[in-house]
Amino acid sequence: MGFKNAPMTSATPAEQKASLFTPEIRAEIDRWIAKYPEEWRQSAVMAALQILQDDNGGYLTQELMDQVATYLDMPPIAVYEVATFYSMYELKPVGRHKVCVCTNVSCMINGSNKIVEHMEKKLGIKLGETTGDGKFSLKEVECLGACGGAPMFQIGTNYYENLTTELVDSILEGLE
Amino acid sequence: MANEVCLRNFDQDRPWLLEQYQSAGGYEVLKRILREKTPPEEIIEEVKASGLRGRGGAGFPTGLKWSFISRNAPGQKYVVCNSDEGEPGTFKDRDILRYHPHLLIEGMIIAGYAIGATRGYNYIRGEFWEPYQRFEAALEEARNAGFLGENLLGSGFDLELHSHLGAGAYVCGEETALLESIEGKKGQPRYKPPFPAHFGLYGRPTIINNTESLASIPVIMEKGGSWFKELGVENSGGSKMFSISGNINNPGVFEIPMGTPFSTLLEMAGGMKDGRKIKAVIPGGSSAPVIPGDQMMELNMDYDSIAKAGSMLGSGAVIVMDDTNCMVKVLERMSYFYHEESCGQCTPCREGTGWLYRVVSRIENGKGRPEDLALLDDMTVKIAGRTICALGDAAAMPVQGMLRHFREEFEYHIEHKKCMTGS
């Protein structure tokens, strides 16, 4: 039927893989690679990008993406495609704490706009911006699947639900 | 009659632990299947008999989907679970992963056995870190107990399961986009046919089911397909987890029999907040056309009742809105979502969702034109059904629903440059 599905392997698999990343990072990425068929190293690209982003203070550089491409035997363009497609990857520096606030319907009708306004005023930045000291970024996100606790936001790996302006204050003030 | 299937261990202390799951009879069905070497065809027949339909939103019969796999085809087959839960309003699978991960694992193993898959993946949306950690810990427990790996409990059947983390893309809930994503690509849906049963993950035969569907399998195999079917009503077997949110007192996940009146569900969810009047309900996730509150109060929560009212049960995500809400503003937010999440592959969706959003947005912001409603009507028809996946339809349907039931609000906005509800 002419339907083909093969990994987008680069022409010559790189040999200097061991010189990329720290041994800890390599071990973490390798743990993901081991989950997939041997010829599908590229299945680990999403995890690898997330691991490197976390290690790099929350964002990816072209150099990191190129290294991922080398490590997973992928053409760099295939890595850029993934890094630009998914919303959790950042291609520009972000604050130490990225506040991902949901404004979708359930959150909206439960007052997410008030939460956003409050944070914008408190931090002196708009959605999509980072504070001058590099501590906070505000990001508007789509439904995070916690509508029972609307309004909500995510910081790092944590969900914070049933937000009020007072609760937001205590959460933000409690962060280093 | 609530909490009979996925939430049956709801009352346990730390129900996510293997020990707890087994104390409530967990993995007994799997053990029986492996011990008795139950013929896979029998399992598929039982699932068919249960009337279980895909709980992710499409409602396709699960047993039928499994029967499309040619079991005896040589080579690798896969079982994949869709825990990408992203349909706005839906938050049930998160609770299965957080509180009942072994139920899902047992369901995935039985599914793998039924189709002859020796490997499986659970695709968990990237934001679900806590649920992912719970699921990973449960996998480790199951592996150590001999429920995963080679030669499960001495049966000769092998199965390994892994999780795969997403990274933020609604479209990856579409099954072929999800497979592309596991393959390390942009999550863009594939043309169908071929369907995943023939050409799935890594080009191999694959079944892919929603978390709640797979977590329903152990109890179906334990108590029988007809027991499950009879929990529900004609054409809607079983019970279903409803995620109910919005302007209500006690939002949350409720597992109730299919066919339960919406009014009962609303009552379970504590009723309307501040005693306000119910204005509108989105019965099945934001892609499902809105239904006016009065009409909704007369409906039952099953596939046919909601379909007859011109909407769909979808993922069972019920968003309840009171009379302070402006429908134009609600639609503006929903249209923004679909525009944001369109993968860009098909022109009608990529361009059309942008058009829908911009036109609804100008109406909301007092710049609507008299011809805009006709324009919206026309655009929805030009998007729906003309794209590779259902995201185009999902963007068009809420617009059609809002214009069908709340047209006068949109007209008022255009004429008076302000909102009828004063919000």
Side-chain angles (χ1 to χ4, degrees), chain A residues 3 5 32 35-36 40 42-43 46 85-88 103-104 106 109-110 142-145 148 154 161, chain B residues 91 94 119 121 125 127-128 163-164 167-168 181-183 185 187 199 202 245-247 251 273 325 333 337:
Chain A
F3 204 90
N5 194 17
W32 282 92
K35 294 182 175 192
Y36 309 104
W40 284 92
Q42 72 174 51
S43 280
M46 293 175 69
F85 186 84
Y86 298 93
S87 65
M88 289 172 71
T103 58
N104 209 302
S106 290
I109 66 178
N110 276 293
E142 294 303 340
C143 185
L144 293 183
Q154 177 171 31
E161 304 179 37
Chain B
F91 49 98
R94 176 179 177 225
R119 203 182 254 257
Y121 296 95
R125 64 177 297 174
E127 295 90 343
F128 277 178
S163 12
H164 181 98
S181 185
I182 297 181
E183 292 180 0
K185 304 174 199 162
F199 192 98
Y202 305 122
S245 67
N247 304 126
K273 210 186 255 180
N325 291 289
R333 186 62 188 85
F337 169 76

Side-chain angles (χ1 to χ4, degrees), chain B residues 159-271:
Chain B
L159 181 73
E160 191 48 82
L161 296 179
H162 297 289
S163 12
H164 181 98
L165 271 177
Y170 167 70
V171 73
C172 287
E174 197 281 341
E175 59 185 18
T176 59
L178 186 150
L179 299 177
E180 288 284 297
S181 185
I182 297 181
E183 292 180 0
K185 304 174 199 162
K186 289 181 287 186
Q188 292 190 319
R190 298 175 182 168
Y191 279 109
K192 293 166 283 273
F195 288 93
H198 299 117
F199 192 98
L201 183 61
Y202 305 122
R204 304 298 312 164
T206 301
I207 53 161
I208 170 164
N209 295 114
N210 168 256
T211 313
E212 185 188 350
S213 307
L214 286 165
S216 302
I217 299 300
V219 74
I220 289 173
M221 294 313 298
E222 181 194 327
K223 300 191 176 178
S226 56
W227 171 85
F228 184 84
K229 190 186 175 81
E230 282 159 21
L231 286 177
V233 293
E234 181 69 26
N235 243 340
S236 300
S239 56
K240 163 106 192 73
M241 293 170 81
F242 290 98
S243 321
I244 180 166
S245 67
N247 304 126
I248 51 175
N249 285 314
N250 181 26
V253 178
F254 299 90
E255 186 171 55
I256 50 174
M258 287 284 198
T260 301
F262 167 75
S263 55
T264 306
L265 176 63
L266 180 60
E267 202 176 306
M268 291 172 89

Side-chain angles (χ1 to χ4, degrees), chain B residues 6-12 15-16 21 95-105 215 241:
Chain B
C6 296
L7 296 183
R8 64 188 161 142
N9 300 331
F10 181 70
D11 291 334
Q12 277 188 333
W16 54 87
Y21 183 61
D95 277 3
I96 294 178
L97 295 170
R98 285 199 292 178
Y99 303 128
H100 311 288
H102 284 290
L103 201 54
L104 174 58
I105 293 170
M241 293 170 81

Side-chain angles (χ1 to χ4, degrees), chain A residues 40-58:
Chain A
W40 284 92
R41 287 175 74 84
Q42 72 174 51
S43 280
V45 64
M46 293 175 69
L49 290 173
Q50 191 65 54
I51 290 164
L52 290 163
Q53 172 166 295
D54 290 346
D55 184 60
N56 189 50

Side-chain angles (χ1 to χ4, degrees), chain B residues 146-405:
Chain B
F147 296 123
L148 290 173
E150 288 179 6
N151 192 18
L152 303 193
L153 307 174
S155 64
F157 172 62
D158 305 336
L159 181 73
E160 191 48 82
L161 296 179
H162 297 289
S163 12
H164 181 98
L165 271 177
Y170 167 70
V171 73
C172 287
E174 197 281 341
E175 59 185 18
T176 59
L178 186 150
L179 299 177
E180 288 284 297
S181 185
I182 297 181
E183 292 180 0
K185 304 174 199 162
K186 289 181 287 186
Q188 292 190 319
R190 298 175 182 168
Y191 279 109
K192 293 166 283 273
F195 288 93
H198 299 117
F199 192 98
L201 183 61
Y202 305 122
R204 304 298 312 164
T206 301
I207 53 161
I208 170 164
N209 295 114
N210 168 256
T211 313
E212 185 188 350
S213 307
L214 286 165
S216 302
I217 299 300
V219 74
I220 289 173
M221 294 313 298
E222 181 194 327
K223 300 191 176 178
S226 56
W227 171 85
F228 184 84
K229 190 186 175 81
E230 282 159 21
L231 286 177
V233 293
E234 181 69 26
N235 243 340
S236 300
S239 56
K240 163 106 192 73
M241 293 170 81
F242 290 98
S243 321
I244 180 166
S245 67
N247 304 126
I248 51 175
N249 285 314
N250 181 26
V253 178
F254 299 90
E255 186 171 55
I256 50 174
M258 287 284 198
T260 301
F262 167 75
S263 55
T264 306
L265 176 63
L266 180 60
E267 202 176 306
M268 291 172 89
M272 300 301 293
K273 210 186 255 180
D274 303 327
R276 297 211 66 99
K277 187 176 179 320
I278 185 169
K279 177 174 180 177
V281 176
I282 296 168
S286 80
S287 311
V290 69
I291 296 179
D294 293 343
Q295 187 185 354
M296 193 68 204
M297 290 303 280
E298 305 299 318
L299 295 178
N300 295 335
M301 299 306 289
D302 60 76
Y303 292 107
D304 290 354
S305 305
I306 303 293
K308 266 182 221 147
S311 188
M312 58 182 198
L313 195 69
S315 61
V318 184
I319 305 175
V320 183
M321 294 175 275
D322 69 25
D323 57 0
T324 60
N325 291 289
C326 164
M327 292 297 111
V328 184
K329 192 175 165 72
V330 168
L331 183 61
E332 181 196 26
R333 186 62 188 85
M334 293 197 290
S335 295
Y336 177 79
F337 169 76
Y338 293 104
H339 176 45
E340 181 74 18
E341 297 296 338
S342 173
C343 82
Q345 188 172 212
C346 311
T347 309
C349 174
R350 182 186 63 241
E351 303 301 324
T353 52
W355 273 88
L356 291 177
Y357 168 63
R358 288 189 298 272
V359 174
V360 176
S361 185
R362 78 183 177 212
I363 298 173
E364 165 65 11
N365 292 299
K367 296 186 178 129
R369 305 167 193 171
E371 67 273 20
D372 276 353
L373 299 188
L375 179 62
L376 286 174
D377 286 336
D378 183 52
M379 281 192 290
T380 58
V381 175
K382 287 178 175 156
I383 297 170
R386 295 168 198 266
T387 53
I388 290 174
C389 84
L391 201 148
D393 304 51
M397 286 187 294
V399 178
Q400 290 170 337
M402 284 291 189
L403 292 182
R404 189 182 317 138
H405 295 296

